[in-house]
Amino acid sequence: MTGFASLPPVPAGTPARDELEVLREIHNILAGERFALLTGAGLSTDSGIPDYRGPGAAPRAPMTYQEFVGEADNRRRYWARNHIGWSHLRRADPNDGHAAVARLEHRGLLTGLITQNVDRLHEDAGSVNVVDLHGRFDRVVCLACHRSYSRTLLAGVLEELNPGFLERALSGGLVEMAPDADAVVEDAALIESFVVAHCPACGGTLKPDFVYFGENVPKDRVERSYAMVDQAGALLVAGSSLTVMSGLRFARHAAKHGKPVVIINRGQTRGDELATVKLDAGVSEALSWLAAELPPL
């Protein structure tokens, strides 16, 4: 028992009749075109990873970069919660939606894949030309010397520094978790007991190798993503609410240059007004249908 509702990926179902009508519209837009694909947390929910803003998602206030670097207590709280969340997130497997994206790429239909997710499930499913826009949860970086380390290696160090911590944290049952492996822990005394690891090379502050709220996405990732959109005949957004500008800008860029913008997401998105077609439906089902039905170029 891990303390989490760790289940196998949910198989993609069959789109409903009204969804099929919209999917045929999307098919007509994308057929014969290479398109760019932007994915968000809604694609990983079928792998047991909750999203931030989908229907039914609990309100969250993720720690900002300024909070993380500003106070040692904030870093202790973050790493304690992340240590718990990592024990679950590292067990997640790609779902049918990730597999469908990999098939689209292998068939030559994508100019590239931009993902806002840090879970690396696209790569696990076989996708190759991927921009991990917000970074990756399986690496940590030192803010002083900029050396990079495996998150798996750090997990072992944290377990040595905090024997029995996970067992105490999970003893109360299920633990709520965010897509970046931040687990919700209410026991303040348990958090205060956590010992934070430092860079083994220089003793500096370690940070997960993904973009915090309040940080900028590295310029090279942004430029590579824009290039994928520029080379495409259309942009498909799947499983993203486009709430943050890091993803919304690519939808705006595509629309500005007259490229169709297709959005598949449960619930409203910040880019709905830009959409040529919007489908409110399960992402895995829709992507699986498109991967099977879109013709070769």
Side-chain angles (χ1 to χ4, degrees):
M1 176 65 175
T2 65
F4 294 93
S6 299
L7 300 172
V10 178
T14 301
R17 180 176 299 179
D18 58 335
E19 295 171 350
L20 281 173
E21 292 180 7
V22 183
L23 277 170
R24 292 189 182 100
E25 291 183 52
I26 295 172
H27 177 281
N28 292 337
I29 292 171
L30 299 180
E33 299 275 9
R34 294 182 74 217
F35 56 94
L37 177 57
L38 170 65
T39 66
L43 181 57
S44 292
T45 55
D46 284 346
S47 292
I49 301 174
D51 60 6
Y52 276 118
R53 302 177 183 88
R60 300 184 187 276
M63 185 175 294
T64 67
Y65 177 76
Q66 291 74 21
E67 289 171 333
F68 182 84
V69 300
E71 296 288 342
D73 285 345
N74 288 341
R75 292 191 291 276
R76 177 181 297 108
R77 175 165 58 91
Y78 180 83
W79 278 117
R81 292 162 58 125
N82 181 272
H83 185 48
I84 300 166
W86 161 259
S87 70
H88 169 68
L89 193 59
R90 67 184 177 87
R91 294 184 172 90
D93 292 317
N95 60 53
D96 287 344
H98 296 106
V101 171
R103 289 199 301 275
L104 289 168
E105 180 184 8
H106 296 164
R107 294 180 59 206
L109 300 182
L110 301 183
T111 60
L113 167 60
I114 309 160
T115 184
Q116 297 174 287
N117 300 335
V118 300
D119 52 40
R120 301 285 290 176
L121 293 180
H122 279 301
E123 287 85 352
D124 289 347
S127 293
V128 177
N129 187 20
V130 184
V131 174
D132 292 302
L133 193 64
H134 293 162
R136 44 191 293 182
F137 85 121
D138 62 341
R139 305 293 300 177
V140 295
V141 63
C142 175
L143 295 180
C145 70
H146 307 295
R147 286 180 172 86
S148 179
Y149 301 98
S150 160
R151 182 62 181 81
T152 301
L153 174 66
L154 178 63
V157 173
L158 291 175
E159 287 171 9
E160 290 182 4
L161 292 174
N162 300 277
F165 178 85
L166 283 176
E167 290 75 11
R168 295 195 302 275
L170 301 177
S171 62
L174 297 179
V175 177
E176 186 181 344
M177 190 190 70
D180 59 358
D182 181 27
V184 177
V185 181
E186 304 295 342
D187 190 336
L190 182 65
I191 296 295
E192 290 173 5
S193 73
F194 193 79
V195 179
V196 176
H198 297 280
C199 175
C202 75
T205 296
L206 293 175
K207 170 188 167 293
D209 194 11
F210 49 71
V211 178
Y212 274 56
F213 288 86
E215 273 190 288
N216 293 321
V217 177
K219 185 177 180 181
D220 62 320
R221 295 181 202 164
V222 176
E223 291 177 345
R224 187 178 164 202
S225 298
Y226 274 130
M228 290 175 172
V229 177
D230 287 338
Q231 294 162 10
L235 173 65
L236 172 60
V237 178
S240 174
S241 65
L242 298 176
T243 300
V244 295
M245 185 56 67
S246 63
L248 179 63
R249 58 181 149 194
F250 301 117
R252 288 181 172 175
H253 183 78
K256 178 181 177 180
H257 289 84
K259 300 175 188 287
V261 175
V262 175
I263 298 177
I264 303 172
N265 189 66
R266 286 212 182 276
Q268 292 183 334
T269 83
R270 193 177 171 193
D272 283 357
E273 64 181 17
L274 304 170
T276 309
V277 177
K278 163 71 184 299
L279 172 61
D280 192 325
V283 179
S284 293
E285 288 85 354
L287 290 175
S288 296
W289 188 90
L290 288 170
E293 298 294 331
L294 282 172
L297 296 177

